Amino acid sequence: MTLSRSMRTCLHSGRLALLAILVSSGIVLQILACALYNNWWPMLTVIMYLLLPMPLMFFLGSNSPSMMSNEGDGWVNFTKFLTGASVVGSIAIPSILKHAGVIGWGALTMELSSFVVFGIAILWLIQMNGEDEYSSVF
Amino acid sequence: MENLALLWGIIGPGVSGAVFGAGWWFWVDAVVCSAVQVSFLHYLPGIFASLAALMFNAVNKDEIGYDYYSPYGDDSEWRVKLWLFVAYVVSFVCLAGSVGLLVQDALTDKGPSVWTGVAGVLQCVLVLISGLIYWTCHSED
C-alpha cells in the first residue's frame, strides 16, 4: 500500500511527536523517582543518561560509515564501549542505591522503567534513521 | 556464520563495555555496602586487571604477523611479544590475588565480608573477559 506524500510526512511527524513524548515521559519518571520520595540520590543516574546517547550524537549525523556497519574505526568502537558501560551503569546505580538501603522499591522500579522507556526511544530513533536511508538497519 | 561475524563486529564493543561496567559496578556495590572500611589492598586486583585489559588491547594485531616489516629493524617482534607477556602475567597475578583475598575474607570475621571478596573476584574476571571481547572485535576487519 503506497501512501500519498502528504500522508507520509504526516505519519513521519506523528512518529517524531511520539518519540518526543517517550523521551519526556522517561525524564518525568526519572524526576518522579526522586521527588515522590524526597530523596535526590537517584539523580546520579542522569550522569549515565548523558553518556548513553553519545555515539548517536557523534556518528548519526555524519556521513561516515556509522555504528551499524562493521567498520573498525577506533573511535566508533570506543564510543560503543562507552554506550555499553553506561547502559550497565544506568541499571547498576539504582540497584546499588537499593542494595545500600538509600532508596526504596518504588524509586527503584521508577528508575528502571525510566531506563526502559529511554531504551525504547533510542532504539526507535535508530530504526527511524535507518529507514530514512532506504537501507536495512544492519 | 558470516552474518554472525558481521553482527558481532557491530555490537561487540558495546557488549565489551557492558561487561567491563558490570565488573566495576559489582565492586562499587561491595565497597558501598561493606560494613568495614575496605583497605586499598583490595582495590589493587581490579585496577591492575583493568590495566592489563588496556595493555593487551593496545597491541596492533598486524604486528604479530610473520612478514611484518617494522621501522625499528627486523627483530622487533620480541617487543610486542614481551608487551603481551607482561599483560598476561599481570592479569593472572590479579586473578590469583583476588581469589586469595576472597579466601582470606572468608576465613576471618574482622575484615571485609565475603561479598567483598566475591565481588573482587567477579570484578577481575569480568574486566579481563571484557578486554578479551574487545580484542576479538577489532580483529574482525
Side-chain angles (χ1 to χ4, degrees):
Chain A
M1 167 181 92
T2 47
L3 298 169
S4 69
R5 190 166 182 83
S6 56
M7 267 299 283
R8 188 169 301 202
T9 36
C10 184
L11 212 58
H12 185 72
S13 44
R15 276 194 211 148
L16 280 181
L18 211 51
L19 201 63
I21 291 178
L22 263 186
V23 170
S24 46
S25 57
I27 298 177
V28 162
L29 271 175
Q30 166 74 29
I31 297 187
L32 266 187
C34 305
L36 277 186
Y37 299 91
N38 208 13
N39 184 358
W40 291 92
W41 275 106
M43 288 303 262
L44 277 182
T45 332
V46 173
I47 306 178
M48 288 296 144
Y49 289 148
L50 289 178
L51 279 184
L52 222 160
M54 260 173 50
L56 288 176
M57 291 189 319
F58 288 156
F59 291 110
L60 216 51
S62 74
N63 214 7
S64 68
S66 70
M67 334 173 347
M68 283 308 160
S69 73
N70 211 4
E71 179 78 14
D73 186 23
W75 283 112
V76 179
N77 280 345
F78 182 64
T79 47
K80 285 187 203 176
F81 185 88
L82 272 187
T83 311
S86 63
V87 163
V88 168
S90 52
I91 304 179
I93 291 185
S95 316
I96 293 180
L97 287 176
K98 175 71 190 73
H99 191 212
V102 175
I103 66 176
W105 281 108
L108 177 67
T109 38
M110 269 202 226
E111 286 273 309
L112 292 180
S113 48
S114 146
F115 169 71
V116 165
V117 165
F118 273 134
I120 293 178
I122 290 184
L123 286 176
W124 201 12
L125 179 69
I126 295 178
Q127 193 208 10
M128 271 178 56
N129 236 42
E131 275 173 12
D132 279 346
E133 298 164 358
Y134 294 110
S135 59
S136 68
V137 174
F138 288 124
Chain B
M1 272 323 273
E2 179 63 27
N3 250 350
L4 202 62
L6 275 180
L7 189 66
W8 189 243
I10 296 176
I11 65 171
V15 170
S16 155
V19 172
F20 184 84
W24 274 97
W25 285 113
F26 274 125
W27 178 247
V28 169
D29 181 70
V31 167
V32 163
C33 300
S34 152
V36 301
Q37 173 89 341
V38 178
S39 72
F40 185 64
L41 184 67
H42 288 73
Y43 286 74
L44 283 181
I47 296 177
F48 277 113
S50 310
L51 217 64
L54 196 68
M55 276 174 72
F56 63 76
N57 272 314
V59 171
N60 194 355
K61 226 191 168 216
D62 305 328
E63 291 187 13
I64 327 183
Y66 282 116
D67 45 355
Y68 177 73
Y69 180 69
S70 111
Y72 295 109
D74 259 340
D75 55 349
S76 76
E77 226 177 274
W78 64 273
R79 292 177 215 269
V80 174
K81 295 195 171 156
L82 182 65
W83 180 260
L84 279 180
F85 177 70
V86 169
Y88 291 151
V89 163
V90 168
S91 52
F92 285 134
V93 164
C94 291
L95 269 178
S98 63
V99 171
L101 284 175
L102 165 66
V103 169
Q104 185 185 41
D105 288 344
L107 284 182
T108 74
D109 269 337
K110 289 188 306 209
S113 68
V114 177
W115 170 237
T116 313
V118 170
V121 173
L122 260 181
Q123 173 199 28
C124 220
V125 166
L126 286 179
V127 162
L128 291 173
I129 289 180
S130 135
L132 275 178
I133 294 179
Y134 196 81
W135 199 59
T136 64
C137 294
H138 72 63
S139 63
E140 283 295 307
D141 46 37

